[in-house]
C-alpha cells in the first residue's frame, strides 16, 4: 500500500512538472507584426512585411487594414500585388507638407486595405503583405502601425494598443517597425565620393609603382644572371688556356 501511494505521488508530481514545462516552452501568442526585409534605416527606403497569422480554428482571415503613422507620415507606400487579394491605398492631406527630393508633398498614405477574393488566410497559416515605404523619418527610432484583422465569421481584432515604456505587453499590441541608424548610402556627399575616388586612385598608383619596382627587380636579376654566366664562361676559358700553356712549357 505504501509503495502504491508513493508511486501515485511521483506520477502526480511528474504530471505537474510536465505541465509547467509545456507552459514555459509554449510559443508566445501570435500577433500581427511588421518587420523590414533587411534594414530599415532612418532617412532611407525599405520593404516591410506585415505578417498576419490566422489565430482561429473555425474561420479564415479575409481582411487586413493597416493605418500609417500621422506623426511621421510616409510620402511613398507601394504595396506588392498578392494573388487572391485586392489592395486599396488611401491617401490623406497633410497638415504640414513634406519636402522629398526637393519637391513639396501635400499628401501621404494614411491606410492600406487588403481584402481576400477567396478563402483568405486559412487556419494554421499566415500571410505576409509586403510594402515598399519611404522616406523613413530621421528623427524617430520606430514607427507604429495600427492594424485591424477581420475574420470570415465577422470577428474583428484590433491590433492598436501602443506599448508603454516599462509596462507589460498589451493584449493586442500594434505592429512596431524599429528603425536603424542612417547609413552612408542615404547620406553620402559629393566630397565623400570624391575622397573615395582619390583613395582608389592612390591605391591604383601604389599598385602600379609596386608593379614597376617588381619589373625593375626582375630585369636587374636577369642582367646579373647573364653577367654571371659570361663571367663563369670566361673563367672556364681562362682555366683551359692556362692549362694548355703549362702543358706546352713542360714538353719544351
Amino acid at each position: 500500500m505504501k509503495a502504491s501511494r508513493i508511486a501515485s505521488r511521483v506520477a502526480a508530481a511528474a504530471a505537474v512538472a510536465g505541465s509547467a514545462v509545456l507552459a514555459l516552452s509554449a510559443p508566445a501568442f501570435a500577433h500581427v507584426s511588421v518587420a523590414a526585409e533587411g534594414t530599415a534605416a532612418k532617412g532611407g527606403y525599405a520593404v516591410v512585411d506585415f505578417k498576419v497569422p490566422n489565430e482561429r480554428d473555425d474561420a479564415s482571415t479575409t481582411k487586413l487594414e493597416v493605418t500609417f503613422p500621422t506623426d511621421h507620415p510616409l510620402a511613398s507606400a507601394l504595396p506588392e500585388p498578392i494573388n487572391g487579394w485586392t489592395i486599396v491605398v488611401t491617401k490623406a492631406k497633410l497638415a504640414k507638407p513634406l519636402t522629398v527630393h526637393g519637391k513639396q508633398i501635400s499628401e501621404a498614405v494614411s491606410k492600406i486595405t487588403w481584402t481576400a477574393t477567396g478563402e483568405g488566410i486559412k487556419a494554421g497559416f499566415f500571410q505576409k503583405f509586403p510594402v515598399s515605404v519611404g522616406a523613413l523619418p530621421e528623427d524617430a527610432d520606430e514607427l507604429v502601425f495600427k492594424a485591424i484583422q477581420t475574420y470570415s465569421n465577422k470577428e474583428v481584432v484590433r491590433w492598436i494598443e501602443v506599448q508603454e515604456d516599462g509596462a507589460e505587453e498589451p493584449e493586442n499590441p500594434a505592429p512596431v517597425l524599429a528603425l536603424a541608424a542612417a547609413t552612408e548610402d542615404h547620406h553620402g556627399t559629393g566630397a565623400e565620393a570624391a575622397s573615395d575616388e582619390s583613395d582608389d586612385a592612390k591605391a591604383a598608383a601604389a599598385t602600379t609603382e609596386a608593379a614597376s619596382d617588381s619589373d625593375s627587380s626582375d630585369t636587374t636579376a636577369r642582367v646579373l644572371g647573364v653577367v654571371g654566366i659570361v663571367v663563369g664562361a670566361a673563367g672556364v676559358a681562362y682555366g683551359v688556356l692556362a692549362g694548355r700553356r703549362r702543358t706546352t712549357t713542360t714538353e719544351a
Side-chain angles (χ1 to χ4, degrees), residues 213-239:
D213 292 343
S214 177
D215 292 341
S216 177
S217 299
D218 290 342
T219 301
T220 301
R222 292 192 186 97
V223 172
L224 291 176
V226 172
V227 171
I229 292 173
V230 173
V231 171
V236 171
Y238 179 80

Side-chain angles (χ1 to χ4, degrees), residues 37-248:
E37 295 182 3
T39 302
K42 298 178 181 180
Y45 289 76
V47 174
V48 300
D49 293 328
F50 292 95
K51 182 179 178 181
V52 182
N54 187 63
E55 300 176 331
R56 301 294 181 265
D57 296 329
D58 57 351
S60 298
T61 295
T62 56
K63 188 176 182 180
L64 173 68
E65 299 170 77
V66 174
T67 300
F68 280 60
T70 56
D71 54 344
H72 295 289
L74 300 175
S76 175
L78 306 175
E80 179 179 322
I82 302 176
N83 291 332
W85 296 82
T86 61
I87 307 174
V88 176
V89 178
T90 303
K91 295 185 177 182
K93 292 290 184 179
L94 297 175
K96 182 179 180 181
L98 297 174
T99 301
V100 180
H101 300 303
K103 296 182 179 179
Q104 290 287 324
I105 305 298
S106 60
E107 63 179 13
V109 174
S110 59
K111 184 172 69 173
I112 298 180
T113 303
W114 291 266
T115 304
T117 57
E119 292 183 312
I121 308 172
K122 297 184 292 185
F125 292 86
F126 73 89
Q127 176 75 49
K128 287 184 178 180
F129 298 87
V131 183
S132 174
V133 297
L136 298 172
E138 299 183 9
D139 57 348
D141 296 324
E142 62 183 24
L143 292 177
V144 178
F145 298 86
K146 297 183 178 182
I148 298 177
Q149 182 179 11
T150 302
Y151 288 90
S152 57
N153 60 3
K154 307 304 180 183
E155 178 186 2
V156 176
V157 181
R158 301 178 183 277
W159 305 98
I160 62 174
E161 298 177 342
V162 180
Q163 174 73 51
E164 299 293 341
D165 293 338
E168 295 183 358
E169 183 182 44
E171 183 177 355
N172 295 314
V176 177
L177 176 67
L179 301 182
T183 62
E184 293 182 359
D185 292 341
H186 302 297
H187 297 282
T189 63
E192 292 172 346
S195 177
D196 291 340
E197 292 178 359
S198 177
D199 291 340
D200 291 341
K202 290 178 181 178
T207 302
T208 302
E209 183 178 356
S212 177
D213 292 343
S214 177
D215 292 341
S216 177
S217 299
D218 290 342
T219 301
T220 301
R222 292 192 186 97
V223 172
L224 291 176
V226 172
V227 171
I229 292 173
V230 173
V231 171
V236 171
Y238 179 80
V240 171
L241 291 174
R244 289 180 177 178
R245 288 174 181 174
R246 286 196 296 273
T247 302
T248 302

